[in-house]
């Protein structure tokens, strides 16, 4: 009787080992398939010329999705697509301007040129691993601080702070003026959205923004 129980226990042990092995092998196959799919997708993307192959001529543009303006430009021999929303802002992404290049190399070359151009001004400058923030020189009626973020073959930009140089409205017939006071809000659809929140938004969602622009906006008719 004890021998039968021992034999049955060994059988169930073997079954358990086999079942565990099969589950492990199945899990490994799923993981391998997933990473192979990701690698294939990345390879396809790396060979796609998003800017130069896009169906626009240089300096031409068009509206898509009743929301985005896409314009093709060429600077120093490098083609790019500029994507922005010139209309009503309802989400954080609406405040961004996204430049799409054919390759990571092209985007990095442009980013490095921008970096070298703005760092020499030393105007509200600060930098991090993938982005820098700089004041924009030559603006007469405001102080504008812009963020430039490099994400693979895309450069994401946004004005994260705009300070008006006109604190009061001017009325030539009235020597008494009233100070204009605006209150920034966290609602992207608000009249005075707090643009400083865009820095954190871009840092957290740069990859998602790139994916949306490449695979949704550029694929739209």
């Amino acid at each position: 009787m004890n021998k039968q129980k021992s034999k049955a226990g060994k059988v169930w042990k073997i079954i358990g080992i086999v079942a565990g092995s099969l589950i492990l092998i199945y899990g490994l196959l799923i993981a391998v398939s997933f990473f192979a799919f990701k690698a294939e997708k990345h390879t396809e993307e790396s060979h796609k010329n998003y800017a130069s192959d896009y169906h626009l001529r240089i300096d031409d543009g068009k509206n898509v999705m009743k929301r985005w303006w896409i314009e093709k430009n060429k600077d120093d021999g490098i083609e790019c697509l500029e994507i922005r929303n010139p209309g009503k802002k309802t989400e954080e992404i609406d405040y961004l301007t996204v430049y799409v290049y054919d390759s990571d190399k092209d985007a990095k070359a442009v980013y490095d040129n921008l970096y070298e151009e703005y760092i020499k001004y030393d105007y509200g400058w600060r930098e991090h691993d993938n982005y820098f923030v700089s004041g924009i020189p030559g603006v007469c009626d405001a102080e504008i601080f812009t963020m430039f973020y490099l994400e693979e073959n895309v450069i994401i930009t946004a004005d994260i702070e705009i300070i008006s140089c006109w604190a009061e409205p001017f009325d030539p017939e009235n020597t008494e003026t009233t100070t204009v006071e605006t209150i920034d809000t966290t609602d992207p659809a608000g009249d005075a959205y707090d643009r400083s929140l865009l820095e954190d938004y871009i840092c957290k969602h740069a990859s998602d923004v790139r994916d949306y622009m490449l695979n949704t906006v550029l694929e739209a008719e």
Side-chain angles (χ1 to χ4, degrees):
M1 187 73 175
N2 289 334
K3 288 183 179 181
Q4 289 179 344
K5 287 184 178 180
S6 176
K7 187 175 180 180
K10 288 180 180 180
V11 171
W12 282 110
K13 186 175 182 181
I14 292 172
I15 293 174
I17 293 173
V18 172
S21 299
L22 290 174
I23 292 172
L24 179 61
I25 291 171
Y26 181 71
L28 287 172
L29 288 173
I30 292 176
V32 169
S33 299
F34 173 77
F35 286 112
F37 171 78
K38 295 285 285 185
E40 182 180 357
K41 183 178 179 182
H42 180 75
T43 301
E44 289 177 356
E45 286 190 353
S46 65
H47 288 87
K48 186 172 182 178
N49 294 324
Y50 287 97
S52 59
D53 288 347
Y54 193 74
H55 47 278
L56 281 175
R57 292 179 294 184
I58 301 298
D59 296 328
D60 280 352
K62 70 171 188 175
N63 282 302
V64 300
M65 301 170 62
K66 298 181 180 180
R67 181 180 185 183
W68 299 104
W69 174 257
I70 304 175
E71 184 174 322
K72 180 182 282 193
N73 299 307
K74 189 172 186 178
D75 188 21
D76 291 333
I78 299 178
E79 293 189 27
C80 79
L81 299 174
E82 177 184 343
I83 307 174
R84 55 188 171 83
N85 177 5
K88 183 176 176 58
K89 314 296 191 250
T90 59
E91 301 177 66
E92 287 91 344
I93 197 171
D94 294 324
Y95 288 86
L96 312 183
T97 300
V98 179
Y99 297 89
V100 178
Y101 298 87
D102 282 341
S103 65
D104 298 7
K105 182 180 178 182
D106 284 350
K108 183 67 163 57
V110 173
Y111 179 85
D112 288 344
N113 286 338
L114 290 168
Y115 181 97
E116 293 300 327
E117 176 185 353
Y118 283 103
I119 194 173
K120 65 185 179 184
Y121 296 121
D122 193 22
Y123 177 29
W125 177 269
R126 51 193 176 84
E127 62 178 287
H128 299 267
D129 290 341
N130 292 350
Y131 74 95
F132 66 87
V133 175
S134 175
I136 306 299
V139 181
C140 299
D141 58 351
E143 285 187 295
I144 300 176
F145 298 89
T146 302
M147 178 178 178
F148 299 82
Y149 192 103
L150 178 64
E151 178 67 20
E152 298 186 38
N153 67 316
V154 162
I155 296 176
I156 303 169
T157 72
D159 296 333
I160 62 172
E161 186 176 11
I162 301 176
I163 304 172
S164 174
C165 292
W166 305 107
E168 299 176 340
F170 177 70
D171 182 354
E173 297 182 359
N174 184 3
T175 57
E176 295 183 3
T177 57
T178 304
T179 301
V180 175
E181 182 179 355
T182 60
I183 300 175
D184 290 343
T185 69
T186 57
D187 178 10
D191 294 331
Y193 174 60
D194 184 357
R195 287 175 171 268
S196 66
L197 300 175
L198 291 173
E199 182 172 353
D200 185 59
Y201 173 81
I202 294 172
C203 289
K204 290 181 177 178
H205 301 285
S207 179
D208 295 330
V209 170
R210 174 184 177 274
D211 180 72
Y212 171 73
M213 293 300 176
L214 297 187
N215 299 310
T216 300
V217 177
L218 293 186
E219 294 296 323
E221 295 296 334

